[in-house]
Amino acid sequence: MSDSDADGPLRERVETWLAREMPIIQMHGGTSAVREADPESGEVIIELGGGCKGCSVSNVTTGNIEAELLKWPEIDEVTVRVPDARESLGGPDQAESIMGVDRTEGGRGDWGSSNPGKDHL
């Protein structure tokens, strides 16, 4: 018996499936939320967050989720969103300094602080 044949609302079945079949999300500090699961239209929207933001393999995870859920007969369209990590920092238009951290050098501060020079003890 597959998940799609189980009793219960589609949203709950997708949430149960995510928790059971995609433990890697939680293991890596990520989160998942079913934002929409419409059995009438067959549309499912999932949002990944936490450690998934900015993760280099999140596209693999999203592809796996989409491929598996599209096997369910009542699901016709799957969208998995992973917010860009920069969105939580205010996006690309954010001022260069956030709480005193200079983003111009990868958050390490200005050149002087990362290379104090020959006079530094």
Side-chain angles (χ1 to χ4, degrees), residues 8 23 27 49 63 99 104 106:
M27 289 170 53
M99 295 177 57
T104 59

Side-chain angles (χ1 to χ4, degrees), residues 6-103:
D7 292 330
L10 182 59
R11 177 185 300 264
E12 288 178 15
R13 291 185 284 133
V14 172
E15 288 173 349
T16 299
W17 178 85
L18 277 169
R20 187 179 65 239
E21 299 298 325
M22 299 304 244
I24 194 85
I25 295 171
Q26 287 78 23
M27 289 170 53
H28 289 173
T31 60
S32 61
V34 179
R35 297 295 181 207
E36 185 174 331
D38 186 344
E40 298 298 319
S41 69
E43 182 180 15
V44 173
I45 299 174
I46 297 170
E47 187 170 301
L48 303 180
C52 295
K53 288 191 229 179
C55 176
S56 63
V57 295
S58 64
N59 61 335
V60 174
T61 303
T62 60
N64 290 339
I65 291 170
E66 290 169 0
E68 289 301 315
L69 290 178
L70 284 172
K71 294 177 182 177
W72 294 22
E74 69 268 47
I75 297 177
D76 296 318
E77 183 180 347
V78 178
T79 302
V80 182
R81 298 187 297 226
V82 182
D84 187 312
R86 293 176 297 171
E87 289 176 14
S88 64
L89 295 174
D93 297 326
Q94 173 70 36
E96 289 303 312
S97 177
I98 299 174
M99 295 177 57
V101 176
D102 182 356
R103 290 176 38 205

